[in-house]
Amino acid sequence: MNKIMIKTKNFLVRQAVAVKIAINNNSGEGYIDTAVKILIAVVLGALLLAGLYALFGEVVMPTLIERITEMFNYAG
Protein backbone atom coordinates (compact mmCIF):
# COMPACT_ATOMS: atom_id res chain seq x y z
CA MET A 1 0.00 0.00 0.00
CA ASN A 2 2.84 2.34 0.86
CA LYS A 3 4.51 1.62 -2.49
CA ILE A 4 1.34 2.63 -4.39
CA MET A 5 1.13 5.88 -2.42
CA ILE A 6 4.76 6.73 -3.25
CA LYS A 7 4.20 5.99 -6.96
CA THR A 8 1.05 8.14 -6.95
CA LYS A 9 2.87 10.99 -5.22
CA ASN A 10 5.76 10.83 -7.69
CA PHE A 11 3.33 10.80 -10.63
CA LEU A 12 1.47 13.84 -9.30
CA VAL A 13 4.73 15.72 -8.69
CA ARG A 14 5.91 14.99 -12.24
CA GLN A 15 2.60 16.12 -13.68
CA ALA A 16 2.67 19.32 -11.60
CA VAL A 17 6.19 20.09 -12.83
CA ALA A 18 5.11 19.43 -16.44
CA VAL A 19 2.13 21.78 -16.05
CA LYS A 20 4.32 24.48 -14.50
CA ILE A 21 6.81 24.24 -17.37
CA ALA A 22 3.99 24.41 -19.93
CA ILE A 23 2.50 27.50 -18.27
CA ASN A 24 5.84 29.30 -18.13
CA ASN A 25 6.62 28.57 -21.79
CA ASN A 26 6.49 31.84 -23.76
CA SER A 27 7.66 30.53 -27.12
CA GLY A 28 4.43 31.37 -29.05
CA GLU A 29 3.85 34.76 -27.48
CA GLY A 30 5.41 36.86 -30.28
CA TYR A 31 3.21 35.47 -33.04
CA ILE A 32 -0.04 36.60 -31.45
CA ASP A 33 1.32 40.07 -30.68
CA THR A 34 2.51 40.49 -34.24
CA ALA A 35 -0.80 39.28 -35.68
CA VAL A 36 -2.77 41.71 -33.51
CA LYS A 37 -0.50 44.60 -34.52
CA ILE A 38 -0.89 43.80 -38.21
CA LEU A 39 -4.67 43.53 -37.82
CA ILE A 40 -4.84 46.90 -36.05
CA ALA A 41 -2.69 48.52 -38.75
CA VAL A 42 -4.90 47.14 -41.52
CA VAL A 43 -8.11 48.34 -39.84
CA LEU A 44 -6.70 51.81 -39.14
CA GLY A 45 -5.39 52.07 -42.71
CA ALA A 46 -8.78 51.11 -44.13
CA LEU A 47 -10.53 53.69 -41.93
CA LEU A 48 -8.06 56.38 -42.98
CA LEU A 49 -8.51 55.59 -46.68
CA ALA A 50 -12.32 55.56 -46.32
CA GLY A 51 -12.20 58.96 -44.59
CA LEU A 52 -9.96 60.45 -47.29
CA TYR A 53 -12.14 58.99 -50.05
CA ALA A 54 -15.27 60.49 -48.46
CA LEU A 55 -13.55 63.85 -47.92
CA PHE A 56 -12.32 64.10 -51.51
CA GLY A 57 -15.58 62.84 -52.98
CA GLU A 58 -17.93 65.16 -51.10
CA VAL A 59 -15.94 68.27 -50.17
CA VAL A 60 -12.76 68.75 -52.15
CA MET A 61 -13.76 67.66 -55.67
CA PRO A 62 -17.10 69.58 -55.93
CA THR A 63 -15.41 72.73 -54.64
CA LEU A 64 -12.52 72.25 -57.04
CA ILE A 65 -14.86 71.72 -60.00
CA GLU A 66 -16.84 74.83 -59.04
CA ARG A 67 -13.72 76.99 -58.81
CA ILE A 68 -12.36 75.75 -62.12
CA THR A 69 -15.72 76.45 -63.78
CA GLU A 70 -15.73 79.95 -62.29
CA MET A 71 -12.15 80.52 -63.37
CA PHE A 72 -12.86 79.69 -67.03
CA ASN A 73 -16.24 81.43 -67.15
CA TYR A 74 -15.53 84.27 -69.56
CA ALA A 75 -19.14 85.42 -69.78
CA GLY A 76 -18.83 87.32 -66.62
Side-chain angles (χ1 to χ4, degrees), residues 4-54:
I4 293 174
M5 293 297 287
I6 290 172
K7 282 187 174 183
T8 303
K9 180 183 172 186
N10 289 339
F11 175 75
L12 291 175
V13 167
R14 278 183 280 155
Q15 292 301 315
V17 169
V19 168
K20 187 174 182 178
I21 290 171
I23 289 174
N24 290 333
N25 187 2
N26 295 333
S27 64
E29 188 173 318
Y31 296 113
I32 294 172
D33 293 346
T34 303
V36 169
K37 288 176 188 172
I38 290 172
L39 186 61
I40 289 171
V42 167
V43 169
L44 288 177
L47 287 174
L48 180 66
L49 288 176
L52 286 173
Y53 182 77

